[in-house]
Amino acid sequence: MKSDQNSTIIMPPYSSTSTNSDWASSSSSSRGSQPKAALHLSSSSKTNELLQLVAQELETMKQPPKQQSTKPAAAEQSFPPACLRLMSSLPGNLTCVDCHSRTDISWASVSFGCLMCLQCSGKHRSLGVQTSFVKSVSMDGWKVHEVLSMLEGGNEQLDQFFERHEMGKSVTDSGDANNRINPTSPTASGTILDRYKTKAASFYRQHLINH
């Protein structure tokens, strides 16, 4: 894979113009009450209602847990339903970020704010939690900052970031599970997973956490 040392880091466009539905600008607010990714949804009444529900869910998650008997309440909760609807509407989130499968896209890399299939989630786990922290959207508990990372991210946004750094991908006609990087690219020395171990990917991951 092409070394990204001394290369210019190009950060993701948090105001993507390509979506799964019609998007338009909405009034801005703090990250804790309304994720930036949500600000590009259409201004329909249904969308406004969804954003209000998302804000309420996030605020509820931020509240300190109530003490129940002598056992501390769990710090994690199920992925909130309105947040789940918003996350599913983000561009590219209906298919796996790595293999583009549409089957069982219920796994997430919190580190990169992207969704994937069960098979690719196993590959991400092999990278280690310091590189790609994998969770099940439906079965695992979630913390508020993890939900926010998923709402700030999105599969298409991550795809575009890698494309700009010449680490794009092409799925072979035979459906090769290795999903080797486009052979015409200068980075064709490794597999899709290798791009997650680059300095550019590390910068993206850190920016998503701090954003």
Side-chain angles (χ1 to χ4, degrees):
M1 176 172 292
K2 181 180 178 180
S3 172
D4 52 353
Q5 187 174 7
N6 299 325
S7 61
T8 301
I9 300 295
I10 309 172
M11 284 314 302
Y14 284 93
S15 56
S16 174
T17 57
S18 174
T19 63
N20 291 330
S21 58
D22 294 329
W23 297 69
S25 294
S26 177
S27 60
S28 61
S29 63
S30 67
R31 182 174 187 261
S33 60
Q34 186 167 304
K36 185 173 291 188
L39 304 182
H40 306 282
L41 288 168
S42 64
S43 58
S44 66
S45 59
K46 288 184 177 180
T47 297
N48 289 334
E49 180 181 353
L50 175 60
L51 296 182
Q52 291 176 4
L53 290 173
V54 168
Q56 292 173 6
E57 289 177 345
L58 293 174
E59 287 300 323
T60 299
M61 292 185 74
K62 290 167 61 178
Q63 299 302 315
K66 296 180 180 179
Q67 297 298 322
Q68 298 177 353
S69 66
T70 58
K71 184 178 180 179
E76 297 181 334
Q77 304 176 27
S78 299
F79 206 100
C83 292
L84 179 60
R85 287 171 56 196
L86 178 58
M87 180 180 68
S88 298
S89 74
L90 295 179
N93 277 11
L94 297 181
T95 60
C96 174
V97 69
D98 285 343
C99 72
H100 286 177
S101 168
R102 289 181 174 270
T103 304
D104 191 22
I105 313 303
S106 60
W107 297 84
S109 171
V110 181
S111 306
F112 293 97
C114 61
L115 293 174
M116 62 192 67
C117 67
L118 175 61
Q119 183 178 13
C120 289
S121 73
K123 296 178 181 179
H124 273 252
R125 287 186 188 277
S126 70
L127 296 173
V129 295
Q130 298 302 321
T131 298
S132 186
F133 181 40
V134 177
K135 278 196 167 187
S136 167
V137 175
S138 59
M139 295 185 291
D140 288 331
W142 289 75
K143 298 178 181 179
V144 62
H145 70 87
E146 295 171 341
V147 174
L148 283 167
S149 289
M150 297 306 300
L151 299 182
E152 292 281 1
N155 287 10
E156 184 175 289
Q157 176 176 280
L158 182 59
D159 276 341
Q160 292 176 350
F161 174 81
F162 280 133
E163 288 290 344
R164 289 195 298 275
H165 286 277
E166 298 184 326
M167 290 183 284
K169 63 181 182 298
S170 64
V171 179
T172 63
D173 294 336
S174 61
D176 184 0
N178 286 329
N179 288 332
R180 297 193 68 81
I181 292 173
N182 190 330
T184 63
S185 168
T187 61
S189 60
T191 66
I192 288 298
L193 284 183
D194 290 330
R195 62 185 184 171
Y196 294 101
K197 297 180 285 186
T198 62
K199 290 182 179 179
S202 178
F203 187 82
Y204 182 99
R205 182 173 62 245
Q206 193 60 44
H207 184 85
L208 192 63
I209 293 173
N210 296 333
H211 198 267

